[in-house]
Structures are given as structure tokens and as C-alpha cells.
Amino acid sequence: YESLYRTVKVMTGESLKTYVLNAKINAAKELLIAGNKSVKEVMAAVGFQDQAHFSKIFKKYAGVTPSDYQKGGK
């Protein structure tokens, strides 16, 4: 696993955890913009199990809550 962590860090400049969370948040953004899923459905689709945790991480990475992002508060 150490090699994977180092490779991701060298290629992206981010830790593996940050890289994966960014990918999940970017996927969530696309689903939220599409507008055909609820925040809870999007949360599950990108691999989060707890809505409060998803909202906290989403806001940290996107700057707004998932609901605000979906409403156009990007």
C-alpha cells in the first residue's frame, strides 16, 4: 500500500485520502447538477453512508452544502 500512497502523492500532489474524497465530491457535484436525485441518493451513489458526514465533507471541499450546490449556490 505504501507504494500506492507515494505514487498518488507524486502524480497528484495530494494524499490518497484527499484524492479519493475530491473524486467523490466531483462526482457528487455532477449528480447534484443533473437534478434528478435527492441529496441522500447522491450521497449513497458516491459512497457515503452518513448524510451529516457527507454534508460536512462536501462543504469542506466545495464551499457550500450539497443542498445549496444543487439549488445553484455553486
Side-chain angles (χ1 to χ4, degrees):
Y1 293 112
E2 191 65 35
S3 177
L4 174 62
Y5 290 108
R6 261 188 260 117
T7 301
V8 170
K9 180 73 170 179
V10 168
M11 292 180 72
T12 67
E14 300 174 327
S15 70
L16 180 59
K17 179 181 177 181
T18 300
Y19 179 78
V20 169
L21 285 174
N22 270 324
K24 287 182 173 187
I25 297 306
N26 287 334
K29 286 178 178 179
E30 289 182 25
L31 292 171
L32 289 166
I33 288 171
N36 57 351
K37 293 185 186 287
S38 69
V39 171
K40 194 169 186 173
E41 290 171 321
V42 168
M43 170 203 78
V46 298
F48 284 86
Q49 296 178 357
D50 179 83
Q51 193 165 353
H53 181 66
F54 172 64
S55 292
K56 179 181 173 185
I57 297 298
F58 190 94
K59 186 168 184 174
K60 178 180 177 182
Y61 283 81
V64 294
T65 65
S67 298
D68 287 344
Y69 190 87
Q70 191 172 45
K71 292 175 192 167
K74 357 183 195 357

